[in-house]
Amino acid sequence: MKKIILLTILFVSQVAAQSIGGGFMIGSPRGEYKHSNPHTGYGLQIQGMLINPSEESPFGIGLDLGFLIYSSESEARPFSHTIPDVLVDVTRRNSMANMHLVFQVSPFHGRIQPYAELYGGGSYIYTTTEIEDIDIYDHVAVDVNYDDFAWSYGAGGGLKVLVSNPDFYGPEIFIDFKVRFLAGSTARFLTADDVIVKTGTSSVHYFPRESETDLLTFTIGAEVRF
C-alpha cells in the first residue's frame, strides 16, 4: 500500500497537479454488501486535482485513491511443525483499495467552498496473510490469499474551509469534509469469518462470499492548493 500511495503522489506531481489532499476515511458497506460484509472499514484517502474549479470555470478533474481495512486479526503461531519452538506473529487482513477519476463542480471561491463530485473507476478487494518476527516485528513473508476486482461509480459532495491566510504568499490550505456513495459491481471476497485454519494439519479453507459492493464513505482531511 505504501508503494501505491507513493506512486500516486509521484504521478500527480509529474502532471503538475493544482492541488493534493487526503485524510482519514471510514467506509460503510451498503445494501447487499452490508449483509455479506457487516464490518466498517477504516483507512486513508488521497486526491490530486489536475484542474481545480476556478472563477473562470466551476469544473475540475482529478484522481482519487482510497484504502480501507475491514478486519485484521493477529496471533502468535509456531514457525512450522518442525520448528515449534520459534513463534511468529501471523496477521490476516481483509482490505479494499480503490481508484477513481473525479469530476468536481464548485462555483464558490470564498473561505467556505461547497462542492459536488462524480466518480468512475474500480475497487480491488483482497485478503492477505503476513508473517512477522514476534520480537523485532520484521517482515518474514506476505501472501495474497484471495482477491477480486469490482467496477464502481458514484457521486458525493463536501465542504472545504480555508484555514490559511489568503493574503500570505504560498499555497492555500483547506480543511476538507466529504461524503460519497459508490455503487460497485459484483465481486467475490472473504470476511473475518470465511477463513478456517486447521491447526496441526497444515490446511486452510476459504469460503468466499459474493455480492455487489456498494459503499458509503466519510472523509475528513486537508487539501493544499498550489
Side-chain angles (χ1 to χ4, degrees), residues 51-72:
I51 300 174
N52 267 322
S54 64
E55 295 183 5
E56 290 76 22
S57 172
F59 304 105
I61 187 171
L63 187 67
D64 181 276
L65 175 70
F67 174 70
L68 293 168
I69 296 177
Y70 288 101
S71 61
S72 179

Side-chain angles (χ1 to χ4, degrees), residues 22 45 47 115 117 158-161 174-178 219-223:
Q45 177 260 345
Q47 182 170 299
Y115 62 90
E117 291 182 329
L159 188 70
K160 298 178 184 180
V161 180
F174 294 83
I175 299 297
D176 189 8
F177 306 90
K178 179 184 302 186
T219 303
I220 179 171
E223 179 187 82

